[in-house]
Amino acid sequence: MKRFSLVIIAVLLLAGCSQNKDEGEAREVVRKYTALLAEGYRNLNMNPLVQVATEERATKAYHHMAALGEARTKMDAQIREIKFLNVKFVQGDKAEVKTEEKWDYTYINMDSGKSEFDNSVAYALTYFLTKKSGKWLVADITIEKAKEQKSSENIFNRPKDKQLPEQKGNDQNRK
């Protein structure tokens, strides 16, 4: 009976250690993802993101970066704070990580190198992770809540000196 009790205790301890290990790995993947995402926007290169994200997730980030690039704008993103609220394992190879994050964004004109817009955003996010070949990867992200400190409504409006003829004179309508 004693031997059986010791075996049960050992199994429970190992299971707990395994879950703590997975939880730590899941948190670390999210930390690395945010760092590589910010670096990818800054350097206009999302390729390193595949180290911690599925190909589909990395492709979504690439498309957003490329869309900004088409507007001759790049984003310099800085994560100021990340707070882990919950890590939940849905199945053996799926996890959900809830965070609260604070980011600062500077949008830079790629032609002039000048800052066009600064913004700070506080997010509540859910990261959906999947385990492939023994490694946790970010598969998707849901923005549960976002609160901006500055409005971004004018970031993609053309400057007055580059407006199309039909836009000139309509500035009063936008204010």
Side-chain angles (χ1 to χ4, degrees):
M1 191 64 157
K2 268 187 183 180
R3 188 176 202 174
F4 180 72
S5 296
L6 290 175
V7 169
I8 295 291
I9 291 170
V11 168
L12 291 174
L13 286 173
L14 287 174
C17 289
S18 175
Q19 185 165 353
N20 287 343
K21 180 181 177 231
D22 277 341
E23 186 172 328
E25 288 176 358
R27 288 175 186 235
E28 187 59 26
V29 162
V30 170
R31 276 190 196 95
K32 284 184 181 178
Y33 178 87
T34 59
L36 289 173
L37 183 68
E39 186 178 304
Y41 279 113
R42 190 174 308 110
N43 299 324
L44 302 174
N45 180 6
M46 290 294 175
N47 291 332
L49 205 54
V50 296
Q51 297 171 37
V52 292
T54 62
E55 188 174 328
E56 296 82 14
R57 181 69 223 162
T59 299
K60 285 181 182 180
Y62 170 80
H63 286 155
H64 184 253
M65 178 199 70
L68 289 171
E70 288 292 320
R72 304 299 300 150
T73 301
K74 77 175 188 173
M75 182 170 57
D76 186 357
Q78 301 284 331
I79 187 163
R80 288 187 293 127
E81 181 182 333
I82 185 168
K83 186 188 306 180
F84 290 90
L85 304 177
N86 187 25
V87 178
K88 180 172 90 175
F89 296 95
V90 183
Q91 300 167 355
D93 63 345
K94 304 269 188 244
E96 293 177 10
V97 179
K98 293 190 180 289
T99 65
E100 288 179 349
E101 301 175 17
K102 294 180 181 173
W103 287 81
D104 290 332
Y105 299 100
T106 299
Y107 293 87
I108 301 165
N109 181 298
M110 291 167 58
D111 298 320
S112 70
K114 293 180 182 176
S115 172
E116 293 183 332
F117 181 76
D118 294 315
N119 198 6
S120 295
V121 183
Y123 293 106
L125 301 171
T126 301
Y127 291 84
F128 297 92
L129 277 53
T130 186
K131 199 170 199 178
K132 292 187 178 182
S133 302
K135 183 177 173 181
W136 288 107
L137 299 171
V138 175
D140 206 0
I141 303 166
T142 298
I143 299 172
E144 306 294 344
K145 185 172 146 185
K147 182 178 178 188
E148 292 188 60
Q149 291 183 3
K150 295 181 182 178
S151 173
S152 61
E153 68 185 58
N154 293 321
I155 186 172
F156 294 111
N157 287 339
R158 290 179 186 261
K160 287 183 181 184
D161 63 333
K162 295 187 179 178
Q163 287 183 347
L164 299 172
E166 62 270 15
Q167 289 178 305
K168 291 185 180 186
N170 290 334
D171 286 340
Q172 283 78 19
N173 296 339
R174 279 192 247 159
K175 291 182 181 177

